[in-house]
């Protein structure tokens, strides 16, 4: 039991993708301005019984991680590997769960629910001044956060996938953080509303650094052209990678992480400190140009006027369809994990040999 009490908020298998010896990772503790070049993965970004004392939660998360690592290593070894649809959905599941399993998101959702509950309590009771000690909290906030994001996987299944690669000739590298998966919406930024993260909206994107040279991107292909029509996106300019690392730092909570073979730049550390003291949306557009060069907004999407449109105009067609057909959404959810153990084992054995 003692071996399982240490729950990793950021999976060990993921951290090892940023390690050069499989045992240590470099971290920068933002609020302490502290660089630790060899932090043991076994105890980094973890907490005792973070999710629950019910070990089945940690075991279920480990199963998802194990399945995704097969695909991650294929992408790492062959950047041109074409994902099977099941692999794509597994990776989407991994990213969505990682969005919900962090300390930051657990606290944020818990605070949001508490704030809404207090407001409802005031309205229902007619109370004008509440006891400052009154709070509405979950016993296990991380489980609530996990369930919220796990429940939205179906809503994000329409997003397209791309692998973003740093050119082998470039000496720059991606960092990661204690919030490795994050959402952005360059489209709403272009329309004048930076920092919009509503997952059902048009232009929603999910990103997560995969290794120091690779990044996962799920994006709304009805809004963006990303790189070439097929295949990976290649970044060749160090300044573009620094911009993406600033975006990663902007989304971090307390820790930036990196491969110890690479240094984390002083400007990046200073930027992370500044954002921790004065959090603000990362503006993706400057003078009509996206700071992330491989994002191109399609001409057909540029005419949306947020000041005069209906709420439904903001949503992706997939999200609208699911909201109007809840029985279909429930049916799709029920399909997850519905195959027999034998069929799953057989399928993944075949998938291992897929090239």
């Amino acid at each position: 039991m003692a071996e399982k009490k240490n729950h990793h908020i950021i999976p060990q298998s993921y951290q090892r993708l940023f390690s050069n010896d499989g045992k240590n990772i470099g971290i920068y503790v933002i609020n302490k301005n502290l660089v630790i070049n060899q932090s043991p993965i076994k105890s980094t970004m973890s907490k005792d019984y973070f999710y629950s004392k019910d070990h089945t939660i940690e075991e279920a998360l480990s199963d998802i991680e194990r399945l995704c690592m097969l695909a991650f290593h294929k992408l790492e070894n062959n950047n041109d590997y074409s994902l099977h649809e099941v692999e794509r959905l597994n990776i989407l599941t991994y990213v969505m769960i990682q969005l919900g399993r962090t300390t930051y998101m657990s606290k944020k959702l818990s605070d949001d629910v508490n704030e809404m509950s207090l407001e409802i309590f005031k309205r229902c009771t007619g109370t004008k001044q509440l006891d400052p000690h009154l709070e509405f909290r979950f016993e296990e906030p991380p489980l609530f956060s996990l369930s919220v994001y796990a429940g939205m996987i179906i809503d994000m299944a329409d997003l397209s996938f791309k692998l973003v690669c740093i050119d082998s000739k470039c000496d720059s590298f991606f960092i990661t953080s204690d919030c490795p998966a994050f959402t952005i919406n360059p489209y709403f930024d272009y329309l004048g509303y930076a920092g919009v993260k509503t997952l059902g909206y048009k232009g929603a994107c999910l990103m997560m650094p995969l290794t120091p040279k690779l990044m996962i991107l799920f994006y709304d292909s009805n809004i963006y052209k990303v790189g070439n029509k097929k295949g990976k996106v290649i970044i060749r300019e160090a300044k573009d990678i620094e911009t993406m690392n600033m975006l990663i730092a902007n989304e971090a909570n307390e820790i930036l992480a990196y491969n110890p073979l690479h240094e984390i730049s002083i400007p990046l550390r200073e930027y992370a400190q500044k954002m921790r003291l004065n959090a603000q949306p990362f503006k993706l557009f400057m003078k009509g140009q996206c700071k992330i060069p491989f994002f191109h907004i399609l001409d057909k999407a540029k005419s949306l006027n947020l000041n005069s449109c209906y709420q439904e105009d903001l949503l992706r067609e997939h999200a609208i369809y699911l909201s109007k057909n809840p029985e279909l959404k429930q049916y799709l959810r029920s399909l997850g994990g519905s195959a027999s153990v034998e069929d799953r084992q057989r399928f993944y054995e075949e998938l291992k040999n897929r090239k």
Side-chain angles (χ1 to χ4, degrees), residues 68-250:
C68 276
M69 279 300 143
L70 295 173
F72 287 163
H73 287 306
K74 285 183 180 181
L75 290 170
E76 182 182 19
N77 295 328
N78 177 12
N79 301 165
D80 294 311
Y81 175 71
S82 179
L83 290 174
H84 186 284
E85 178 61 11
V86 170
E87 291 173 312
R88 186 188 75 85
L89 289 173
N90 280 347
I91 291 174
L92 176 64
T93 300
Y94 184 102
V95 172
M96 288 295 292
I97 286 177
Q98 189 56 61
L99 272 171
R101 74 187 287 183
T102 62
T103 305
Y104 167 79
M105 192 56 69
S106 171
K107 183 178 184 306
K108 182 180 184 303
L109 285 182
S110 180
D111 289 345
D112 288 347
V113 169
N114 179 57
E115 185 179 338
M116 288 188 291
S117 299
L118 288 173
E119 185 60 34
I120 293 170
F121 181 81
K122 283 172 64 177
R123 292 180 183 181
C124 291
T125 61
T127 307
K128 293 184 178 180
Q129 191 67 39
L130 294 177
D131 184 328
H133 299 100
L134 178 63
E135 290 187 330
F136 293 86
R137 298 288 182 184
F138 299 96
E139 287 187 12
E140 297 171 328
L143 282 186
F144 170 70
S145 180
L146 263 176
S147 66
V148 168
Y149 278 88
M152 290 191 289
I153 292 168
I154 298 299
D155 301 78
M156 309 305 290
D158 61 314
L159 297 183
S160 298
F161 174 88
K162 283 273 186 179
L163 191 65
V164 180
C165 313
I166 297 177
D167 189 271
S168 58
K169 297 177 182 178
C170 182
D171 292 332
S172 297
F173 301 89
F174 291 131
I175 63 168
T176 188
S177 80
D178 54 356
C179 296
F182 55 92
T183 64
I184 62 170
N185 196 320
Y187 181 50
F188 271 70
D189 197 320
Y190 169 81
L191 295 172
Y193 291 83
V196 171
K197 295 187 177 184
T198 304
L199 293 179
Y201 279 0
K202 293 176 178 177
C205 300
L206 306 175
M207 301 183 77
M208 188 182 79
L210 181 58
T211 74
K213 285 286 189 177
L214 303 174
M215 179 174 283
I216 287 169
L217 169 64
F218 286 95
Y219 67 100
D220 183 354
S221 57
N222 287 319
I223 297 296
Y224 309 108
K225 176 180 180 290
V226 175
N228 295 322
K229 190 171 183 180
K230 292 185 179 181
K232 64 198 176 197
V233 173
I234 300 177
I235 308 177
R236 295 182 171 86
E237 299 293 331
K239 63 179 179 61
D240 295 331
I241 300 159
E242 185 71 1
T243 295
M244 295 185 70
N245 280 337
M246 289 174 68
L247 174 58
I248 294 166
N250 193 80

